[in-house]
Amino acid sequence: MNAAVLRQPDMHLPAHPNELDRRRIERALGSRKRYRYVSPVVTGVIGGYLVESPCCSRNIDAEGGVIDVALLHHDAASASWKLFRKDHAAGVWELHGVHQRLASVTEILNADPERVFWQ
């Protein structure tokens, strides 16, 4: 009886962040179009992942310090991913889009044609 109870997943634990998806995001960012010579860091945060990177363009940080690139938040209720970009001037996160798959989010981060993430 106790073994059966132990095998049931705890439904109160959040699905994100987890190490598998954190590494999946890190690996996917290796094929980005912008600032390929810097090494972004993906950190687990409550409900998702934070992408940070050195600021090589010096547009945001004149000294080239580490800046926020993107925030990925998993919405368990709708089983979707919310992708946020940082408005560095205002110091706030802005919703960029909602996606059904994590792969769609990383594709947008990698392409970034408007340079809203990799600034």
Side-chain angles (χ1 to χ4, degrees):
M1 178 82 169
N2 288 341
V5 172
L6 293 176
R7 288 187 190 134
Q8 294 177 351
D10 186 354
M11 299 309 284
H12 302 289
L13 291 176
H16 298 281
N18 65 62
E19 188 63 16
L20 178 67
D21 285 324
R22 187 192 69 75
R23 287 181 186 237
R24 182 182 296 161
I25 295 165
E26 260 183 356
R27 190 171 42 252
L29 291 178
S31 60
R32 67 189 177 281
K33 304 288 185 220
R34 302 198 182 280
Y35 302 115
R36 294 180 6 193
Y37 41 85
V38 297
S39 299
V41 175
V42 180
T43 308
V45 296
I46 295 173
Y49 307 89
L50 173 65
V51 179
E52 299 173 302
S53 179
C55 182
C56 291
S57 70
R58 313 270 195 219
N59 291 333
I60 306 301
D61 185 339
E63 282 133 32
V66 175
I67 62 167
D68 296 329
V69 174
L71 179 65
L72 292 71
H73 184 265
H74 185 259
D75 184 349
S78 64
S80 62
W81 288 93
K82 293 180 180 176
L83 176 60
F84 294 86
R85 64 170 293 275
K86 185 74 174 253
D87 178 343
H88 293 279
V92 297
W93 289 104
E94 295 179 345
L95 181 64
H96 183 269
V98 179
H99 308 275
Q100 296 303 312
R101 299 178 46 239
L102 181 57
S104 299
V105 173
T106 56
E107 287 172 11
I108 289 169
L109 279 174
N110 284 338
D112 193 20
E114 291 113 20
R115 291 183 52 180
V116 296
F117 298 103
W118 304 98
Q119 301 175 32

mmCIF file of all heavy atoms in Angstrom, residues 88-110:
data_model
loop_
_atom_site.group_PDB
_atom_site.id
_atom_site.type_symbol
_atom_site.label_atom_id
_atom_site.label_comp_id
_atom_site.label_asym_id
_atom_site.label_seq_id
_atom_site.Cartn_x
_atom_site.Cartn_y
_atom_site.Cartn_z
ATOM 1 N N HIS A 88 14.821 47.834 -20.818
ATOM 2 C CA HIS A 88 15.913 48.227 -19.931
ATOM 3 C C HIS A 88 15.792 49.674 -19.477
ATOM 4 O O HIS A 88 16.194 50.003 -18.356
ATOM 5 C CB HIS A 88 17.262 47.973 -20.614
ATOM 6 C CG HIS A 88 17.537 46.523 -20.815
ATOM 7 N ND1 HIS A 88 18.015 45.706 -19.820
ATOM 8 C CD2 HIS A 88 17.368 45.720 -21.900
ATOM 9 C CE1 HIS A 88 18.157 44.483 -20.278
ATOM 10 N NE2 HIS A 88 17.757 44.467 -21.537
ATOM 11 N N ALA A 89 15.246 50.538 -20.304
ATOM 12 C CA ALA A 89 15.100 51.945 -19.921
ATOM 13 C C ALA A 89 14.132 52.090 -18.748
ATOM 14 O O ALA A 89 14.391 52.843 -17.811
ATOM 15 C CB ALA A 89 14.615 52.765 -21.114
ATOM 16 N N ALA A 90 13.029 51.338 -18.791
ATOM 17 C CA ALA A 90 12.029 51.410 -17.724
ATOM 18 C C ALA A 90 12.312 50.409 -16.609
ATOM 19 O O ALA A 90 11.746 50.511 -15.523
ATOM 20 C CB ALA A 90 10.636 51.172 -18.301
ATOM 21 N N GLY A 91 13.144 49.408 -16.901
ATOM 22 C CA GLY A 91 13.464 48.398 -15.897
ATOM 23 C C GLY A 91 12.338 47.412 -15.636
ATOM 24 O O GLY A 91 12.226 46.887 -14.534
ATOM 25 N N VAL A 92 11.500 47.158 -16.668
ATOM 26 C CA VAL A 92 10.359 46.252 -16.498
ATOM 27 C C VAL A 92 10.343 45.185 -17.595
ATOM 28 O O VAL A 92 10.901 45.382 -18.680
ATOM 29 C CB VAL A 92 9.010 47.025 -16.514
ATOM 30 C CG1 VAL A 92 8.930 47.981 -15.345
ATOM 31 C CG2 VAL A 92 8.809 47.759 -17.818
ATOM 32 N N TRP A 93 9.682 44.087 -17.297
ATOM 33 C CA TRP A 93 9.493 43.017 -18.277
ATOM 34 C C TRP A 93 8.219 43.289 -19.055
ATOM 35 O O TRP A 93 7.197 43.640 -18.471
ATOM 36 C CB TRP A 93 9.380 41.661 -17.585
ATOM 37 C CG TRP A 93 10.667 41.188 -17.009
ATOM 38 C CD1 TRP A 93 11.026 41.196 -15.693
ATOM 39 C CD2 TRP A 93 11.771 40.630 -17.721
ATOM 40 N NE1 TRP A 93 12.285 40.681 -15.555
ATOM 41 C CE2 TRP A 93 12.768 40.327 -16.779
ATOM 42 C CE3 TRP A 93 12.021 40.368 -19.070
ATOM 43 C CZ2 TRP A 93 13.991 39.764 -17.140
ATOM 44 C CZ3 TRP A 93 13.232 39.809 -19.424
ATOM 45 C CH2 TRP A 93 14.204 39.515 -18.470
ATOM 46 N N GLU A 94 8.276 43.101 -20.378
ATOM 47 C CA GLU A 94 7.111 43.278 -21.244
ATOM 48 C C GLU A 94 6.799 41.962 -21.932
ATOM 49 O O GLU A 94 7.705 41.300 -22.444
ATOM 50 C CB GLU A 94 7.386 44.339 -22.313
ATOM 51 C CG GLU A 94 7.592 45.720 -21.765
ATOM 52 C CD GLU A 94 7.886 46.738 -22.859
ATOM 53 O OE1 GLU A 94 8.215 46.334 -23.999
ATOM 54 O OE2 GLU A 94 7.787 47.932 -22.564
ATOM 55 N N LEU A 95 5.516 41.609 -21.982
ATOM 56 C CA LEU A 95 5.107 40.385 -22.659
ATOM 57 C C LEU A 95 5.352 40.525 -24.155
ATOM 58 O O LEU A 95 4.880 41.481 -24.781
ATOM 59 C CB LEU A 95 3.634 40.092 -22.396
ATOM 60 C CG LEU A 95 3.085 38.816 -23.030
ATOM 61 C CD1 LEU A 95 3.773 37.580 -22.455
ATOM 62 C CD2 LEU A 95 1.578 38.726 -22.815
ATOM 63 N N HIS A 96 6.090 39.591 -24.709
ATOM 64 C CA HIS A 96 6.378 39.592 -26.144
ATOM 65 C C HIS A 96 5.417 38.673 -26.880
ATOM 66 O O HIS A 96 5.011 38.967 -27.998
ATOM 67 C CB HIS A 96 7.824 39.157 -26.387
ATOM 68 C CG HIS A 96 8.213 39.191 -27.825
ATOM 69 N ND1 HIS A 96 8.064 38.100 -28.651
ATOM 70 C CD2 HIS A 96 8.730 40.182 -28.585
ATOM 71 C CE1 HIS A 96 8.490 38.421 -29.866
ATOM 72 N NE2 HIS A 96 8.894 39.675 -29.853
ATOM 73 N N GLY A 97 5.058 37.537 -26.267
ATOM 74 C CA GLY A 97 4.140 36.605 -26.916
ATOM 75 C C GLY A 97 3.865 35.386 -26.067
ATOM 76 O O GLY A 97 4.560 35.117 -25.083
ATOM 77 N N VAL A 98 2.841 34.647 -26.466
ATOM 78 C CA VAL A 98 2.451 33.409 -25.794
ATOM 79 C C VAL A 98 2.554 32.286 -26.809
ATOM 80 O O VAL A 98 2.079 32.428 -27.948
ATOM 81 C CB VAL A 98 1.010 33.503 -25.234
ATOM 82 C CG1 VAL A 98 0.603 32.211 -24.566
ATOM 83 C CG2 VAL A 98 0.892 34.686 -24.265
ATOM 84 N N HIS A 99 3.165 31.173 -26.412
ATOM 85 C CA HIS A 99 3.438 30.065 -27.325
ATOM 86 C C HIS A 99 3.074 28.737 -26.669
ATOM 87 O O HIS A 99 3.154 28.603 -25.450
ATOM 88 C CB HIS A 99 4.917 30.068 -27.715
ATOM 89 C CG HIS A 99 5.367 31.393 -28.224
ATOM 90 N ND1 HIS A 99 5.218 31.777 -29.533
ATOM 91 C CD2 HIS A 99 5.915 32.458 -27.587
ATOM 92 C CE1 HIS A 99 5.667 33.001 -29.684
ATOM 93 N NE2 HIS A 99 6.095 33.440 -28.509
ATOM 94 N N GLN A 100 2.697 27.786 -27.497
ATOM 95 C CA GLN A 100 2.308 26.480 -26.987
ATOM 96 C C GLN A 100 3.498 25.555 -26.730
ATOM 97 O O GLN A 100 3.392 24.635 -25.943
ATOM 98 C CB GLN A 100 1.316 25.798 -27.953
ATOM 99 C CG GLN A 100 0.007 26.545 -28.071
ATOM 100 C CD GLN A 100 -0.682 26.730 -26.737
ATOM 101 O OE1 GLN A 100 -0.818 25.794 -25.971
ATOM 102 N NE2 GLN A 100 -1.103 27.949 -26.436
ATOM 103 N N ARG A 101 4.626 25.819 -27.398
ATOM 104 C CA ARG A 101 5.781 24.933 -27.268
ATOM 105 C C ARG A 101 7.027 25.714 -26.886
ATOM 106 O O ARG A 101 7.239 26.837 -27.349
ATOM 107 C CB ARG A 101 6.017 24.208 -28.591
ATOM 108 C CG ARG A 101 4.837 23.337 -29.012
ATOM 109 C CD ARG A 101 5.036 22.653 -30.360
ATOM 110 N NE ARG A 101 6.349 22.038 -30.494
ATOM 111 C CZ ARG A 101 7.238 22.356 -31.457
ATOM 112 N NH1 ARG A 101 6.935 23.265 -32.358
ATOM 113 N NH2 ARG A 101 8.396 21.752 -31.521
ATOM 114 N N LEU A 102 7.861 25.084 -26.076
ATOM 115 C CA LEU A 102 9.127 25.685 -25.690
ATOM 116 C C LEU A 102 10.020 25.891 -26.910
ATOM 117 O O LEU A 102 10.723 26.900 -27.002
ATOM 118 C CB LEU A 102 9.831 24.807 -24.648
ATOM 119 C CG LEU A 102 11.157 25.303 -24.107
ATOM 120 C CD1 LEU A 102 11.021 26.687 -23.492
ATOM 121 C CD2 LEU A 102 11.710 24.314 -23.099
ATOM 122 N N ALA A 103 9.965 24.978 -27.869
ATOM 123 C CA ALA A 103 10.770 25.111 -29.087
ATOM 124 C C ALA A 103 10.414 26.387 -29.857
ATOM 125 O O ALA A 103 11.288 27.032 -30.433
ATOM 126 C CB ALA A 103 10.595 23.888 -29.975
ATOM 127 N N SER A 104 9.165 26.781 -29.861
ATOM 128 C CA SER A 104 8.747 28.018 -30.530
ATOM 129 C C SER A 104 9.370 29.240 -29.854
ATOM 130 O O SER A 104 9.781 30.185 -30.520
ATOM 131 C CB SER A 104 7.228 28.158 -30.511
ATOM 132 O OG SER A 104 6.620 27.093 -31.182
ATOM 133 N N VAL A 105 9.447 29.190 -28.542
ATOM 134 C CA VAL A 105 10.036 30.298 -27.786
ATOM 135 C C VAL A 105 11.522 30.426 -28.114
ATOM 136 O O VAL A 105 12.010 31.526 -28.387
ATOM 137 C CB VAL A 105 9.823 30.086 -26.269
ATOM 138 C CG1 VAL A 105 10.585 31.132 -25.465
ATOM 139 C CG2 VAL A 105 8.351 30.109 -25.929
ATOM 140 N N THR A 106 12.230 29.315 -28.125
ATOM 141 C CA THR A 106 13.672 29.385 -28.402
ATOM 142 C C THR A 106 13.942 29.772 -29.854
ATOM 143 O O THR A 106 14.933 30.436 -30.133
ATOM 144 C CB THR A 106 14.380 28.063 -28.050
ATOM 145 O OG1 THR A 106 13.783 26.983 -28.745
ATOM 146 C CG2 THR A 106 14.335 27.815 -26.548
ATOM 147 N N GLU A 107 13.058 29.409 -30.783
ATOM 148 C CA GLU A 107 13.217 29.844 -32.176
ATOM 149 C C GLU A 107 13.132 31.368 -32.282
ATOM 150 O O GLU A 107 13.902 31.992 -33.009
ATOM 151 C CB GLU A 107 12.151 29.200 -33.062
ATOM 152 C CG GLU A 107 12.378 27.739 -33.334
ATOM 153 C CD GLU A 107 11.210 27.072 -34.057
ATOM 154 O OE1 GLU A 107 10.303 27.799 -34.538
ATOM 155 O OE2 GLU A 107 11.197 25.840 -34.128
ATOM 156 N N ILE A 108 12.199 31.959 -31.561
ATOM 157 C CA ILE A 108 12.047 33.415 -31.573
ATOM 158 C C ILE A 108 13.270 34.084 -30.944
ATOM 159 O O ILE A 108 13.794 35.069 -31.467
ATOM 160 C CB ILE A 108 10.752 33.829 -30.851
ATOM 161 C CG1 ILE A 108 9.558 33.427 -31.720
ATOM 162 C CG2 ILE A 108 10.730 35.325 -30.549
ATOM 163 C CD1 ILE A 108 8.239 33.522 -31.039
ATOM 164 N N LEU A 109 13.738 33.547 -29.836
ATOM 165 C CA LEU A 109 14.937 34.087 -29.193
ATOM 166 C C LEU A 109 16.152 33.991 -30.114
ATOM 167 O O LEU A 109 16.987 34.895 -30.144
ATOM 168 C CB LEU A 109 15.239 33.333 -27.898
ATOM 169 C CG LEU A 109 14.442 33.741 -26.677
ATOM 170 C CD1 LEU A 109 14.745 32.798 -25.517
ATOM 171 C CD2 LEU A 109 14.737 35.164 -26.296
ATOM 172 N N ASN A 110 16.251 32.911 -30.855
ATOM 173 C CA ASN A 110 17.400 32.714 -31.738
ATOM 174 C C ASN A 110 17.372 33.639 -32.944
ATOM 175 O O ASN A 110 18.405 34.135 -33.370
ATOM 176 C CB ASN A 110 17.485 31.260 -32.198
ATOM 177 C CG ASN A 110 18.021 30.369 -31.119
ATOM 178 O OD1 ASN A 110 18.687 30.822 -30.202
ATOM 179 N ND2 ASN A 110 17.739 29.093 -31.208
#
